[in-house]
Amino acid sequence: MKIFYAVQATGNGHIARAMELLPYLQQYGTVDIFLSGNNSSLQTGLPVRYKSRGVSLYYTQSGSLDYLKIMKEFNARRVWKEAKDLPVEKYDCVLVDFESIAALSCRIKKIPCIGFGHQASFQSVKAPRPGTKNIAGEWILKYYAPSTVYTGLHFKQYDNFIFNPVIKQAILEAVPVEEGHITIYLPQYNDELLIKHFERITDVPFRLFSKTAIRPSSQKNITILPVNNATFNESVINCNGVITGAGFETPAEILYLGKKLLCIPIKGQYEQKCNAAALKDFDVTVIDDVKENFTATIINWLQHPNPKKLELTHSTETIVAKVMKQAEEIKG
């Protein structure tokens, strides 16, 4: 079987999941990756055969989406041409992980495809939403990368086509301990803004993973580290807690490890607000922004009990097997 796997690279989560899925997908045939976007900080090692600037996300220094820059970088003519040129018709199975160009290519060429990943779960009305729905956000989740069928991933199995997160093998095999430090990954914020708050809590060591850091450095009680998959895994396995956005992969891993978790949804990103609604069911602390009282919020959070642990009901191997069965069914 020839498998075309379109991976969104507007963040690290999609790529981290693709790296985990690849060995299982390769059991069914050859896999060619289409990597779309340029916001990821991870070195992939994936068999990338096709690449595009895609539709990338950019952030202001205060943590919200920079819509002006996103629109400035968007080129409709380029996107249309790339969609027409992608050879999706030469593959037996097309997987689309919230990637719009491959989805458009399949639509133009009338090729069936499988919408796979976290965003696919929002095709179900049973997936958690915030108290106030956002019409534009709902539209993006449903129509940004429309597919023939869907296999969704979420914190719980909210519907029959939704399965648990794909957890990295390094996390699955880990023996978590608490060595005292707090791990931070908030790429939507400027490092200096964060450091100002964390250095006030002098009795707690922090490890700040920075999208701009080239090499490790220290500032008072804060170790500043470049984004690196292995280093980050080691940090979260051995930390007392994690402060991060309300994405999907990282919070899922922290909940699986049973660690303390504080999440700050990226402003203007509706999916993260939906995730925040789901995370509250696990007793995760969720706040709206880094404000002047952020230092006090962290101190208070450090006293909270750990959230409910994430339970896995399906292995990665089983999830991939179900996706491959879907691929056979939609081929007709």
Side-chain angles (χ1 to χ4, degrees):
M1 179 181 284
K2 293 179 65 180
I3 301 168
F4 182 99
Y5 185 10
V7 181
Q8 177 69 260
T10 56
N12 295 331
H14 299 269
I15 289 180
R17 179 165 60 240
M19 292 165 66
E20 189 62 32
L21 286 171
L22 182 62
Y24 297 97
L25 290 171
Q26 288 174 328
Q27 293 177 16
Y28 294 85
T30 59
V31 182
D32 289 339
I33 300 287
F34 172 48
L35 200 62
S36 173
N38 58 6
N39 289 106
S40 172
S41 306
L42 292 180
Q43 298 298 314
T44 70
L46 294 169
V48 178
R49 184 159 184 180
Y50 313 99
K51 199 166 185 179
S52 167
R53 289 170 61 190
V55 182
S56 293
L57 302 180
Y58 300 94
Y59 305 100
T60 66
Q61 288 194 350
S62 61
S64 60
L65 284 169
D66 190 337
Y67 289 103
L68 186 62
K69 188 171 183 180
I70 292 169
M71 293 306 297
K72 185 178 178 181
E73 294 292 325
F74 178 73
N75 186 320
R77 182 177 295 179
R78 172 181 58 81
V79 168
W80 181 262
K81 183 181 185 304
E82 289 181 350
K84 289 184 71 177
D85 290 345
L86 275 182
V88 292
E89 68 278 6
K90 295 182 180 180
Y91 290 83
D92 303 303
C93 170
V94 179
L95 295 183
V96 176
D97 188 348
F98 204 55
E99 199 294 304
S100 60
I101 297 175
L104 177 60
S105 182
C106 288
R107 192 164 187 174
I108 292 170
K109 300 177 181 183
K110 297 181 171 31
I111 301 297
C113 62
I114 299 170
F116 177 80
H118 179 51
Q119 286 83 1
S121 68
F122 293 101
Q123 296 295 322
S124 172
V125 297
K126 298 177 183 178
R129 263 69 167 188
T132 302
K133 286 188 179 182
N134 180 287
I135 295 173
E138 286 287 334
W139 189 93
I140 289 170
L141 286 173
K142 290 190 176 182
Y143 301 113
Y144 176 79
S147 301
T148 311
V149 294
Y150 297 90
T151 296
L153 306 174
H154 215 311
F155 301 120
K156 293 181 181 179
Q157 191 168 5
Y158 298 105
D159 211 327
N160 58 8
F161 69 92
I162 298 174
F163 302 95
N164 55 243
V166 170
I167 303 293
K168 291 190 295 248
Q169 199 64 30
I171 300 297
L172 289 174
E173 296 174 353
V175 180
V177 296
E178 295 190 352
E179 295 182 348
H181 68 273
I182 300 297
T183 300
I184 309 151
Y185 181 58
L186 291 168
Q188 69 269 38
Y189 288 103
N190 181 278
D191 289 351
E192 285 68 33
L193 174 66
L194 298 172
I195 289 169
K196 178 181 73 172
H197 290 280
F198 295 123
E199 68 182 8
R200 294 172 182 167
I201 310 173
T202 57
D203 60 337
V204 178
F206 294 93
R207 294 186 188 177
L208 172 61
F209 284 82
S210 165
K211 64 181 179 181
T212 58
I214 299 173
R215 59 185 63 85
S217 63
S218 296
Q219 187 168 326
K220 296 184 179 179
N221 58 323
I222 304 161
T223 303
I224 303 161
L225 299 161
V227 177
N228 174 277
N229 198 27
T231 308
F232 186 75
N233 287 346
E234 182 274 332
S235 185
V236 299
I237 290 168
N238 298 305
C239 73
N240 284 34
V242 176
I243 302 173
T244 188
F248 180 58
E249 278 74 18
T250 298
E253 291 172 359
I254 307 312
L255 289 175
Y256 177 79
L257 290 170
K259 302 283 185 174
K260 198 180 300 293
L261 179 60
L262 188 155
C263 290
I264 309 173
I266 293 174
K267 285 179 282 187
Q269 211 178 89
Y270 180 64
E271 179 209 332
Q272 293 217 356
K273 287 189 175 181
C274 294
N275 291 343
L279 287 167
K280 287 178 181 178
D281 288 340
F282 285 83
D283 298 329
V284 170
T285 298
V286 177
I287 63 173
D288 293 331
D289 201 357
V290 173
K291 299 177 181 177
E292 278 306 311
N293 65 345
F294 187 48
T295 305
T297 299
I298 298 168
I299 294 170
N300 185 45
W301 166 72
L302 289 169
Q303 311 307 315
H304 286 185
N306 290 11
K308 299 172 186 174
K309 191 172 179 181
L310 176 74
E311 300 295 335
L312 301 183
T313 55
H314 295 83
S315 67
T316 302
E317 185 177 18
T318 300
I319 293 169
V320 171
K322 289 180 180 295
V323 171
M324 290 298 101
K325 184 178 179 182
Q326 273 188 316
E328 291 292 339
E329 290 172 348
I330 63 176
K331 275 178 62 179

